[in-house]
Amino acid sequence: MRITPGMSADNAIYNLQQGRTAIDQLQEQIASGYNINRPSDDPLSTRQLLDLQEQIASGDQYSSNITKAETLLNVTNTSLTSMATLMQQVKKIAGDMVAGTLDAAGTASAVTNLTQLKSQLIDMGNTRLGDQYVFGGFSTSQPFNASGTFSGTTDIPQVEIAQNSTVGTTVSGGDLLRGGNPPAAVGSGATAGQGPVDIIGSIDALISAISSKNSQGILDGVKNVKAGADQITVAQSDVAGRLVRLDNMKSMITNNQNTLKTVFGNIQNVDYAKAGVLLSQQTTAFNAALSATSKLSQLSLLDYMK
């Protein structure tokens, strides 16, 4: 096959362009700090990077959800702790009424204290974080009115903390303080303190029993408020369990994110020392090719004739 000067020139130009492209790519990588600046640089690695970016973004969203859920649950837990303390005071007053004499002064004092404690309990049931009532479910309005009537929703807002895994962010005020919606029946006699407890209704019934000096009603009231206090304790345990779960999930997500970001960096981030050596090699090779091409281009057929 005859090699013409034109063929030699085309081959030389092609090799020079390849060398120039390699140098340009290395310079671009060093300038940007990225191994891949466009999908065509490495389609397979580009796909890997996109998958990693998606996983990292999902992890960031889950972490954000967990932070919001923790804030709501911590506020809820603080309110529950205050409710539990308040119920201890209610229990003490009820117990004093059982053990003491129902004189007019003692009765009036007990009724006044219980009425104030009930109002405080309702205030705690209206606790909110920003515009969200933590015991109101999905309702955006105040869940309890002054008399303790619940107007919120009993379903609990959920947040996703992993794929197909959610955690409730609050406690239903209707279930907690009214035993459900509509409120549970206030127990009396043998049924007192059994099943879901309408705490607010039980305090109202206790106030009525004390006012009327109804000994059996007071005894039933003691059982009901004790069951109500236990109901709040159960809610505290539930919230504490959810907080532990969120903390564990947050740690796991953090570890996963660190691993994913390391893998992403290994693929995408430029090794400057290696890139510098390669650039020096490519530049030397390119300059040598230029020199050789310039010398070859000066030759003609006469240079090969003797």
Side-chain angles (χ1 to χ4, degrees), residues 1-273:
M1 177 179 177
R2 180 169 175 266
I3 305 299
T4 65
M7 294 171 64
S8 297
D10 289 343
N11 187 57
I13 291 172
Y14 174 79
N15 289 329
L16 288 174
Q17 288 175 336
Q18 290 295 101
R20 182 71 256 180
T21 298
I23 291 173
D24 290 343
Q25 185 176 32
L26 284 168
Q27 289 177 332
E28 183 181 33
Q29 289 175 344
I30 292 172
S32 66
Y34 299 139
N35 285 317
I36 302 170
N37 290 285
R38 60 187 61 81
S40 59
D41 290 343
D42 188 340
L44 180 60
S45 294
T46 298
R47 175 62 191 220
Q48 291 178 312
L49 291 175
L50 290 174
D51 289 341
L52 289 168
Q53 282 181 326
E54 183 179 356
Q55 294 179 60
I56 291 171
S58 295
D60 289 340
Q61 184 60 60
Y62 290 140
S63 294
S64 176
N65 291 349
I66 288 173
T67 298
K68 293 175 183 177
E70 283 182 323
T71 301
L72 279 166
L73 287 172
N74 281 320
V75 171
T76 301
N77 191 50
T78 299
S79 297
L80 290 173
T81 300
S82 298
M83 289 180 184
T85 300
L86 185 148
M87 289 303 293
Q88 294 303 316
Q89 298 177 49
V90 173
K91 285 167 60 179
K92 184 179 184 307
I93 293 173
D96 289 345
M97 289 296 98
V98 172
T101 58
L102 301 179
D103 60 86
T107 297
S109 177
V111 168
T112 299
N113 288 336
L114 287 173
T115 301
Q116 292 300 318
L117 290 172
K118 173 194 168 185
S119 296
Q120 292 176 34
L121 191 64
I122 292 171
D123 290 340
M124 294 171 190
N126 289 325
T127 299
R128 67 178 182 177
L129 177 64
D131 294 331
Q132 183 174 357
Y133 289 92
V134 298
F135 295 107
F138 286 98
S139 176
T140 57
S141 59
Q142 185 171 289
F144 292 96
N145 63 14
S147 64
T149 300
F150 180 73
S151 59
T153 65
T154 55
D155 45 353
I156 299 172
Q158 305 280 325
V159 296
E160 191 173 21
I161 61 172
Q163 188 172 8
N164 300 322
S165 180
T166 60
V167 169
T169 58
T170 61
V171 172
S172 167
D175 291 340
L176 178 68
L177 298 181
R178 300 311 309 250
N181 193 19
V186 177
S188 61
T191 64
Q194 298 179 7
V197 181
D198 179 358
I199 296 175
I200 293 175
S202 296
I203 295 175
D204 284 335
L206 181 59
I207 291 172
S208 297
I210 292 173
S211 298
S212 62
K213 299 183 180 181
N214 181 347
S215 298
Q216 184 58 51
I218 295 174
L219 288 172
D220 291 340
V222 171
K223 295 178 184 178
N224 288 330
V225 296
K226 180 182 183 302
D230 293 341
Q231 191 163 279
I232 291 175
T233 300
V234 169
Q236 285 181 287
S237 299
D238 177 45
V239 169
R242 281 186 259 169
L243 283 169
V244 170
R245 181 185 174 192
L246 289 175
D247 187 59
N248 291 336
M249 183 59 71
K250 182 166 61 176
S251 297
M252 187 181 78
I253 290 175
T254 298
N255 292 335
N256 287 342
Q257 291 289 86
N258 290 337
T259 300
L260 292 171
K261 289 176 181 178
T262 298
V263 174
F264 185 93
N266 290 339
I267 297 174
Q268 179 67 314
N269 294 337
V270 167
D271 182 340
Y272 285 102

